[in-house]
Amino acid sequence: MTAPRQKTFLLARPETRVLEWIARRLPRWVMPDHLTALGVLAAIGIAAAYALSNRDPAWLWAASGLLVVHWLGDSLDGTLARVRRSERPRYGYYLDHLVDAIATALIGIGLGLSPYMLLATGMVIVIAYLVLSINTYLETKVFGVFSLGYGRLGPTEARVGLIVVNAVMAVGIAPVVVGMSVLDFVVLGVAALMTGGLVVRAYRNLRTLARLEPQAGS
């Protein structure tokens, strides 16, 4: 895809600088597909670490470390291709979003298999994230602009938030209320906000498209 990217989230500028700095210093044998594979392996590791936290909360620290690895693999592959001027727009677009969906499902299921969050809650946040992603892909098709993130929050901010949550759970701050942990309530609240953001954005998109394509006879 050749649609220009819009990055409006909080960490976009410093993140871009850091990624470009790393990409220019990687050895030539490291290819974008290697980084994509690294991101997938990290997502599998994150899910496993969350499941293993049933035995020992120390696995939450491993999950946080793997979230950093996942960020590198997920974010650096495209940057490396652009720095080396070796982009494959359609291939990269397809592969990137395919593995993003897989990684999201893995991490959500992993969280749901941990003792800190219900599996149903994990599925809710996965579904909410994937629906927002689908809306982004539709916007790319109809408006020709690929807008990453909703408002000031994007994937990197989500990872930072998850690392903070991991730290809170690892030190034992995860009280249970009416059969649900505080994390369940937080995640469900985030899913509600995501849904609200989607409704507002979809309404705005439809109004714009209605102006661009007025109904015949109106």
Side-chain angles (χ1 to χ4, degrees):
M1 297 290 290
T2 57
R5 293 189 168 205
Q6 285 185 344
K7 294 184 178 182
T8 60
F9 38 84
L10 292 171
L11 300 175
R13 289 186 179 181
E15 178 186 32
T16 299
R17 289 195 293 268
V18 169
L19 290 172
E20 288 185 357
W21 186 90
I22 296 172
R24 295 183 188 281
R25 286 158 178 79
L26 287 176
R28 294 298 301 181
W29 61 265
V30 176
M31 305 300 290
D33 281 357
H34 296 155
L35 296 169
T36 303
L38 176 66
V40 174
L41 291 174
I44 294 171
I46 293 165
Y50 279 132
L52 289 168
S53 68
N54 283 282
R55 299 182 179 181
D56 190 338
W59 281 103
L60 293 170
W61 301 110
S64 293
L66 287 166
L67 279 165
V68 176
V69 176
H70 180 259
W71 168 75
L72 280 172
D74 182 52
S75 304
L76 194 55
D77 51 2
T79 301
L80 183 62
R82 287 188 289 275
V83 165
R84 293 181 178 173
R85 301 185 184 278
S86 60
E87 300 101 321
R88 293 187 286 175
R90 289 180 297 177
Y91 175 89
Y93 183 89
Y94 179 83
L95 179 62
D96 183 49
H97 298 302
L98 175 63
V99 299
D100 185 51
I102 293 170
T104 299
L106 284 169
I107 294 171
I109 291 170
L111 266 169
L113 293 175
S114 77
Y116 306 99
M117 194 169 78
L118 297 174
L119 182 58
T121 303
M123 292 298 93
V124 166
I125 195 67
V126 167
I127 292 169
Y129 183 88
L130 293 179
V131 171
L132 261 65
S133 297
I134 291 169
N135 181 66
T136 297
Y137 309 150
L138 293 172
E139 289 176 347
T140 304
K141 176 65 176 179
V142 298
F143 294 119
V145 175
F146 183 58
S147 181
L148 288 166
Y150 281 67
R152 302 292 286 170
L153 300 178
T156 300
E157 287 77 10
R159 292 187 189 97
V160 172
L162 199 48
I163 289 171
V164 171
V165 168
N166 288 344
V168 169
M169 294 189 299
V171 298
I173 307 175
V176 175
V177 181
V178 293
M180 298 173 65
S181 73
V182 169
L183 180 59
D184 283 298
F185 289 106
V186 170
V187 169
L188 290 174
V190 170
L193 290 174
M194 292 167 70
T195 303
L198 173 64
V199 170
V200 170
R201 193 144 141 179
Y203 175 74
R204 193 182 313 153
N205 289 341
L206 289 170
R207 287 191 62 185
T208 301
L209 291 169
R211 286 198 302 269
L212 294 173
E213 297 179 345
Q215 188 168 356
S218 60

